[in-house]
Amino acid sequence: MMIAQYSLRASLMALLVSLTACPGSVYLWEVRTESTRKPPEFSVAVLRHEPVGILEALTSPGLHGNEVGLALSLKRVIERVSPTMVLVPPIEVASRINRQGLTPEYTRMRMDYEQSNILDRDPLKKIGQALGVRYILQPRLAAFTQTLYDRWKVPALEINVIRIRSSIIRLSLQIWDSETGDLVWASTAEGSFQEEALTEDPVYLREAGRITWGSIVSDFARDRTSSRYSPTNNLVDSLIGPDEVD
């Protein structure tokens, strides 16, 4: 009996070693989007000549902290998926707003937005002028959850051989006209992600965010109003990878 247990343990450990020597697992993922139609006078081509500013992402009080970095992630995704767009990145947006003394108005506008889902016209116009842009992107994190559970375990040996890590994320993106106060375009997306792994690492928000932003930006670039994205979309799937250098 002891020999059999030892043999089983040795076989399982050999399997673990072979699996951990393999490259990282590929995410199983799916994103579904809902987007509005663009006004006739507005198209992707407009943003090849009109720069667009990216505001920092917003989220609900229960998710505060998780939104940090999502605007930068959006900027990098746009550069990959729709490289012709001219961007004023979040770090430059923050600097120009502060240099113009608009931080108090910007803060109030964001607080009001959390209640109304509307960027107030007057501060929006001032911010657009400070940024030297007409169009402004407002990203938002609506939900993010992570789970980890065992798929294959050997209780007698206290070995978790395969674990499943999964996440669900909901993001939204709006394009505002800072001159008129009009909401030009809006999109929401929900993504689900799953990966088999040997570690207890989660599906990171960074990875889930890139894929979900990529799906939203693809809708915008292709004039789609409802889409379903999966790893068969090579461009979006390629967004899972190492950080790029700005």
Side-chain angles (χ1 to χ4, degrees):
M1 180 68 175
M2 293 295 294
I3 294 176
Q5 281 189 332
Y6 177 82
S7 177
L8 177 59
R9 182 184 290 272
S11 299
L12 288 171
M13 292 307 295
L15 175 62
L16 286 171
V17 170
S18 66
L19 288 172
T20 53
C22 294
S25 301
V26 176
Y27 287 116
L28 298 175
W29 61 268
E30 180 177 283
V31 176
R32 298 194 180 198
T33 63
E34 291 286 342
S35 306
T36 63
R37 295 192 181 278
K38 302 185 187 75
E41 68 278 7
F42 183 85
S43 69
V44 180
V46 172
L47 300 185
R48 295 173 187 165
H49 312 289
E50 292 266 3
V52 58
I54 305 176
L55 301 184
E56 287 293 341
L58 288 163
T59 192
S60 59
L63 290 170
H64 277 169
N66 291 289
E67 80 281 11
V68 176
L70 282 176
L72 176 60
S73 177
L74 172 61
K75 174 246 183 191
R76 289 175 170 168
V77 166
I78 291 173
E79 290 173 339
R80 290 275 299 276
V81 178
S82 190
T84 59
M85 287 177 61
V86 181
L87 304 174
V88 180
I91 189 169
E92 182 61 24
V93 166
S95 296
R96 293 185 189 180
I97 288 173
N98 207 30
R99 282 198 297 265
Q100 295 294 321
L102 293 172
T103 301
E105 287 191 73
Y106 175 63
T107 301
R108 285 194 296 271
M109 183 182 73
R110 287 168 63 85
M111 292 176 64
D112 291 342
Y113 181 90
E114 290 186 4
Q115 301 297 320
S116 65
N117 205 39
I118 296 173
L119 293 176
D120 187 67
R121 181 190 62 183
D122 293 338
L124 180 65
K125 185 172 184 177
K126 293 179 183 178
I127 289 168
Q129 291 172 344
L131 300 179
V133 305
R134 177 172 181 176
Y135 298 103
I136 289 178
L137 297 181
Q138 178 59 73
R140 185 182 181 96
L141 172 65
F144 182 64
T145 61
Q146 299 171 312
T147 57
L148 179 68
Y149 58 93
D150 300 325
R151 179 179 177 186
W152 179 24
K153 64 188 297 184
V154 185
L157 301 179
E158 297 184 351
I159 294 177
N160 296 318
V161 181
I162 293 294
R163 305 195 112 180
I164 301 295
R165 52 197 187 193
S166 63
S167 292
I168 293 176
I169 187 171
R170 287 197 295 274
L171 294 174
S172 69
L173 183 65
Q174 296 177 335
I175 299 180
W176 289 84
D177 185 331
S178 67
E179 292 184 3
T180 65
D182 291 341
L183 176 57
V184 176
W185 182 82
S187 180
T188 59
E190 181 168 0
S192 62
F193 300 79
Q194 190 176 94
E195 183 182 23
E196 291 186 349
L198 299 173
T199 70
E200 295 188 5
D201 292 337
V203 174
Y204 290 102
L205 177 59
R206 166 183 168 274
E207 308 286 2
R210 282 184 175 184
I211 291 292
T212 309
W213 286 139
S215 302
I216 289 176
V217 176
S218 292
D219 264 15
F220 176 77
R222 298 162 58 200
D223 284 321
R224 301 288 295 273
T225 58
S226 180
S227 301
R228 175 180 175 182
Y229 294 88
S230 72
T232 58
N233 187 302
N234 293 328
L235 176 59
V236 177
D237 192 55
S238 70
L239 296 172
I240 296 180
D243 289 322
E244 284 115 22
V245 178
D246 287 326

